[in-house]
Amino acid sequence: MRTYHRQARRAIRALDGRIDAVRAAEIWECALDARWDGTERWFHGDLAQGNLLLDGGHLAGVIDFGTCGVGDTSCDLAVAWTLLTADGRRALRERLPVDDATWARGRGWALWKTLVSYAHAPDDGEAAANSRRILAEIFGEYTDGGRSTGEDQP
């Protein structure tokens, strides 16, 4: 995520007045500060709506492995804020073996992607509306107690 730090900060500045820039910066810094144990694992890298195949409302497959790699899997958690409702996100969190730090980094990935998209979208378009929805999910979950950076984890 540190690779995208300048880009995220530019987007926060560009969106100041349209979003809670102070809260966005706080969430971003929380994600950057969240410890990663350094254990590299396979990640998809682009778990977006168009890359998830459904059958009868159930996940049937994942496509487009062009950005997959080995490293910190938290990038794949961005889907929790970009596609899921608060209830869906809670269910995902309960079922995944991830600590608070990984969750905070996942939230950071969702924030970065959304900020950059929103900063480049016409404010009256569908992309901006979707960005506002996702930011509401991110800000709401963070405010409801998702601030932990994993310092309380063993």
Side-chain angles (χ1 to χ4, degrees):
M1 287 189 336
R2 293 202 182 278
T3 301
Y4 300 106
H5 180 65
R6 280 193 224 140
Q7 189 180 39
R9 295 302 270 173
R10 274 194 306 271
I12 291 169
R13 283 192 302 275
L15 292 166
D16 192 14
R18 294 193 294 175
I19 67 167
D20 183 341
V22 171
R23 183 171 300 175
E26 182 180 332
I27 294 169
W28 179 248
E29 292 300 325
C30 177
L32 288 176
D33 291 343
R35 290 178 289 151
W36 174 44
D37 68 7
T39 303
E40 294 184 339
R41 295 178 178 88
W42 280 103
F43 61 83
H44 183 275
D46 191 17
L47 288 182
Q49 186 172 3
N51 294 336
L52 303 175
L53 304 177
L54 302 179
D55 183 14
H58 297 276
L59 183 63
V62 178
I63 61 172
D64 188 2
F65 289 86
T67 57
C68 72
V70 177
D72 180 5
T73 60
S74 67
C75 61
D76 285 342
L77 292 176
V79 71
W81 294 270
T82 59
L83 293 179
L84 299 179
T85 63
D87 289 340
R89 191 170 37 259
R90 273 190 294 279
L92 178 68
R93 178 74 197 269
E94 289 169 3
R95 289 167 176 83
L96 288 179
V98 298
D99 60 17
D100 290 343
T102 304
W103 194 254
R105 292 191 313 277
R107 185 186 315 110
W109 282 110
L111 179 67
W112 161 75
K113 185 174 186 176
T114 305
L115 289 171
V116 171
S117 295
Y118 192 14
H120 294 95
D123 210 35
D124 60 349
E126 185 178 330
N130 191 46
S131 294
R132 287 190 295 272
R133 179 194 60 77
I134 295 168
L135 288 172
E137 294 289 337
I138 293 168
F139 290 177
E141 187 259 357
Y142 180 79
T143 300
D144 289 343
R147 291 190 180 122
S148 177
T149 62
E151 295 297 321
D152 58 337
Q153 294 297 310

